[in-house]
Amino acid sequence: MIPTSPVVVVTRPLRQASNLQEKLQQQGRTVIVFPLFEIESISNNLELDLAVRNLHQYAVVMFVSPNAIDALFQCVEKKHGKTWQWPEETAAAVVGAASRQSLLLHGVSDTNTRIYCPRNESRTDSETLLAELPLDDLAGKKVLVVRADSGRDFFVDALKKASIEVQTISSYRRVIPFFDKVKQQLLSTFLQSACDWVITSSSVLTTLLAWCEQLDQLELLARGDSQKNICPAVAKMQQQKLYVPHFRIAEVARELGFKQICLTASGDENLILALQSQL
């Protein structure tokens, strides 16, 4: 009997997981989307509206993620329609292949503007993006950072230290979904076998372990057991195999006790290659 490959669990929001799910299914993998966060746009975002109208005033617009890109272009379409064009004099900066692809889907590419992006696909973060920027040339100029309502301040602090005028705008927020009975049953099922987990955000890991702890507590309550230090769901989760496209996510996973971590290069194509090569 030919052994079946592990189920791939994609933890992205449903809308962002569909492309990866489809490509993996085309290669014969069983894929289940199990969102561990949702993206919620910040409504009536007057700061973002104003920035879009004056985008030509910024030397660089830095996006922390594809979600930040989508949020800005949703604002563009709402306020200016589909005829609006990215100003040639304004460069874009992104940290990974997924963000670069998202820019391309919105009509922004190397053919119509300068795009800064880390050249080393195995390490894509604020530090490596910063190394690509002409900081001396940007001194005294304006840079816009479009991001979530929370996150690291390394990039912003480094730009300010280089005498660059920085404006930050929160364009979206991550929302943790309710851990209802359907999700409880799904997670319990995943833990009964070895799955391949696609983790593209370090915050997902803490949510995942918190949900496992809730499963353990529910099990103890169902059994009437008072032993609070029993955590089989957490232990089983830490034995699952993770596929992560960023070294910082891998670091967080190790700190949280995960044992099997496959670090891939940035972008869905590299995630797919890694998942298929490990079969």
Side-chain angles (χ1 to χ4, degrees), residues 47-105:
E47 274 193 309
L48 189 59
D49 291 346
L50 183 60
V52 165
R53 288 200 298 270
N54 298 298
L55 209 64
H56 62 280
Q57 296 181 4
Y58 298 97
V60 181
V61 178
M62 186 270 184
F63 298 98
V64 301
S65 69
N67 296 315
I69 296 169
D70 292 342
L72 183 137
F73 279 93
Q74 284 170 13
C75 179
V76 165
E77 188 166 337
K78 181 180 177 182
K79 297 292 182 178
H80 304 278
K82 295 184 178 180
T83 59
W84 183 89
Q85 292 185 331
W86 183 275
E88 291 183 7
E89 63 270 32
T90 300
V94 296
V95 294
S99 291
R100 196 175 183 106
Q101 179 63 26
S102 184
L103 278 179
L104 183 61
L105 291 174

Side-chain angles (χ1 to χ4, degrees), residues 146-157:
V146 185
R147 63 182 188 178
D149 61 345
S150 62
R152 297 175 69 218
D153 289 325
F154 167 85
F155 191 82
V156 172
D157 292 342

